[in-house]
Amino acid sequence: MSLLLNSSFTGASSACLLHRERSRRRRLRVPGVTCRQGSNDDRSDAARQKQSPLLLDRRDILLGGLGGLYGVTAGPKVLAAPIMPPDLSTCHPATAPALDNKCCPPYDPSETISEYGFPATPLRVRRPAHLMKDDQEHLDKYKEAVRRMKNLPAEHPWNYYQQANIHCQYCNDAYFQQNTNDVPVQVHFSWIFLPWHRYYLHFYERILGKLIEDDTFTIPFWNWDTKEGMTFPAIFEDASSPLYDPKRDQRHVTGGKILDLKYAYIENPASDSEIIRENLCFIQKTFKHSQSLAELFMGDPVRAGEKENQEANGQLEVIHNATHAWVGEPDGYKENMGDFSTAARDSVFYCHHCNVDRMWDIYRNLRGNQVEFQDNDWLDSTFLFHDENEQLVKVKIRDCLNPTKLRYTFEQVPLPWLGKINCQKTAETKSKATTELSLTRVGEFGTTAQALDASNPLRVIVARPKKNRKKKEKQEKVEVIQIKDIKVTTNETARFDVYVAVPYGDLAGPDYGEFAGSFMRLAHRKKGNDGTQEQGPKKKGKLKLGITPLLEDLDAEDADKLVITLVLRTGSVTVGGVSINLLQTDAPAVI
């Protein structure tokens, strides 16, 4: 059973969606919660708190928690170090191999910065891209808007390639933060990722609408979280269309190939149906395991001036990264989508990010629309964009949390990953480990950094901080795998997957256990003075994966230790340590 979800549903309906019990056999009834379909998408926050869109059978709901019943903390923390806009006069050559101008925009010293006047237009509805093939009028408008954008003067801030260069500037270190000369403005690998890209899409979409004088215009979303949307959107395949980009992996974007959300430049030999199942399970786990702690979904904090801050993206960004790699060229610089400096030159970039934005909107709704980080360093982080009136405007994260303030929403579509999917292989794991001869002795990580080897996965035994935790303890703290000091070479894409299993004493079975999540960093490349690719510096990061629901699925509540397996998929990676810790939740979940 697939579920229909209005992406602007309320806290009360979140309670209907999220209440989960072991049996899943009886009808769901939560006192004080109504589960009727709401019909008014254009509504205030107050109205959002009174409506709920659907009636659900508990056996089809796997995400734990009562989003609408979450408490709100006492107020934002005050640390006074939000990321602020850079000095636009200081743009310097970015690590962009394919761009002759190194992606810096034309600079006008007389240009003033204004507060953005949020639109007062009718609520616009973003539609799934795979359904647009049947909406020729909308598709024709989309093509015409992009054609006009590409035909603007090269230095116009609305020009298609100037818009694409915005992504290069803020993703490839073209600006340093205010009052520094060595701390770049970077909008990936942290809690900045989702809100910055939301604004980026918003202004791109508004400019396209202005170019065709249509206030209702929207970009479609690549609906890769459903079976029907897991192939490359057909609307981008026509070579004569302004939406077309020749720099794509032609093996993937034609012929109905299924997108692999764990892609790392190695083709998945599994059947289409198995890849679809794996994709849905990955999405389900991403939501389920991060539900009670936003940084697991969105990425870690980053504050102004932090030079040694380790990159730490959330699991949604990992899914996003794999899609970038899957679309871009398989060789060379992986243009366009496979390298951040060129990714936004492909129109499918915006379609892909529309679905990433939609995933965030669903996540917020599942958590009762509570603010993910009650922290002014996040809420007051500020960005600059040219708006639909050619004004350079500044915007804050706190003003984009509700998409209705930006006057858009998403069309309702089924969410199969919210339903029952067979994502565990526990029976298979146990059947393989039936004899002493099939077991392998596993040691602790130790104190020395270890390089990952694709032919010999790293397996370590890790002590848990506490076993057999009670329900209240799980609501207060989430159990998390933490992998520290991850070093990768920046001019290479790097990925490894993490698996969890229950040991037999200090022995591990031949099966790696259950998939817990992944680390993936796309390449940030540059050319040397002789035109050849330079070797990038080593960049340090970290990874956090929530495992509280996973341990319950594994029947591992009474295990003192776990076997953690790191499987290298691509790139050169060393890790400095693996541990399991308890972190304070920000949204109590009913497990």
Side-chain angles (χ1 to χ4, degrees), residues 302-408:
V302 61
R303 307 185 194 279
E306 288 184 337
K307 185 175 182 180
E308 302 301 327
N309 185 56
Q310 291 193 18
E311 298 175 346
N313 53 17
Q315 283 299 283
L316 180 59
E317 190 173 351
V318 170
I319 290 174
H320 146 274
N321 288 346
T323 306
H324 269 274
W326 189 84
V327 174
E329 290 182 323
D331 303 311
Y333 289 116
K334 309 295 193 292
E335 299 170 75
N336 272 330
M337 276 281 283
D339 190 289
F340 283 152
S341 67
T342 58
R345 289 187 160 206
D346 189 336
S347 291
V348 81
F349 167 93
Y350 304 95
C351 185
H352 168 43
H353 270 276
C354 266
N355 205 45
V356 173
D357 186 58
R358 173 174 160 265
M359 292 292 101
W360 181 26
D361 191 42
I362 294 170
Y363 179 79
R364 298 200 79 244
N365 285 307
L366 289 171
R367 288 164 45 97
N369 293 301
Q370 77 170 63
V371 175
E372 291 88 343
F373 303 100
Q374 288 283 350
D375 189 324
N376 283 335
D377 286 357
W378 185 62
L379 294 168
D380 289 334
S381 285
T382 303
F383 315 123
L384 295 179
F385 293 94
H386 280 96
D387 70 2
E388 64 271 27
N389 298 311
E390 298 186 49
Q391 298 295 312
L392 186 62
V393 296
K394 59 182 178 180
V395 288
K396 292 183 177 182
I397 286 178
R398 67 170 66 248
D399 293 318
C400 77
L401 303 182
N402 184 348
T404 58
K405 183 166 184 175
L406 301 176
R407 307 310 298 151
Y408 74 87

Side-chain angles (χ1 to χ4, degrees), residues 151-219:
N151 287 338
L152 288 171
E155 295 196 350
H156 195 288
W158 290 0
N159 175 275
Y160 183 85
Y161 298 102
Q162 291 295 342
Q163 286 291 303
N165 282 351
I166 294 171
H167 193 258
C168 176
Q169 293 154 23
Y170 290 97
C171 303
N172 281 73
D173 305 347
Y175 292 110
F176 292 131
Q177 293 182 26
Q178 285 188 14
N179 304 315
T180 77
N181 60 7
D182 59 355
V183 182
V185 179
Q186 174 55 255
V187 297
H188 291 86
F189 322 122
S190 76
W191 63 3
I192 296 295
F193 170 68
L194 289 171
W196 185 90
H197 282 83
R198 172 168 286 181
Y199 273 127
Y200 184 34
L201 289 177
H202 168 71
F203 288 112
Y204 178 82
E205 184 176 69
R206 294 290 292 162
I207 291 168
L208 289 176
K210 189 67 173 279
L211 287 170
I212 57 173
E213 300 179 345
D214 184 354
D215 252 348
T216 69
F217 175 80
T218 56
I219 311 166

Side-chain angles (χ1 to χ4, degrees), residues 231-244:
T231 57
F232 188 78
I235 62 173
F236 297 96
E237 291 183 11
D238 181 2
S240 64
S241 168
L243 305 179
Y244 182 75

Side-chain angles (χ1 to χ4, degrees), residues 36-108:
R36 294 178 183 171
Q37 172 67 50
S39 59
N40 181 14
D41 282 325
D42 186 3
R43 57 191 186 273
S44 67
D45 286 342
R48 285 162 64 99
Q49 296 303 318
K50 295 179 181 178
Q51 289 183 285
S52 53
L54 58 160
L55 179 67
L56 302 172
D57 191 312
R58 84 163 72 184
R59 65 176 178 266
D60 293 308
I61 305 302
L62 298 184
L63 297 178
L66 295 172
L69 306 183
Y70 294 154
V72 178
T73 55
K77 298 177 183 176
V78 181
L79 296 177
I83 302 296
M84 301 303 289
D87 180 349
L88 298 186
S89 69
T90 63
C91 185
H92 51 272
T95 56
L99 303 180
D100 293 337
N101 67 352
K102 301 302 181 186
C103 81
C104 285
Y107 173 64
D108 180 0

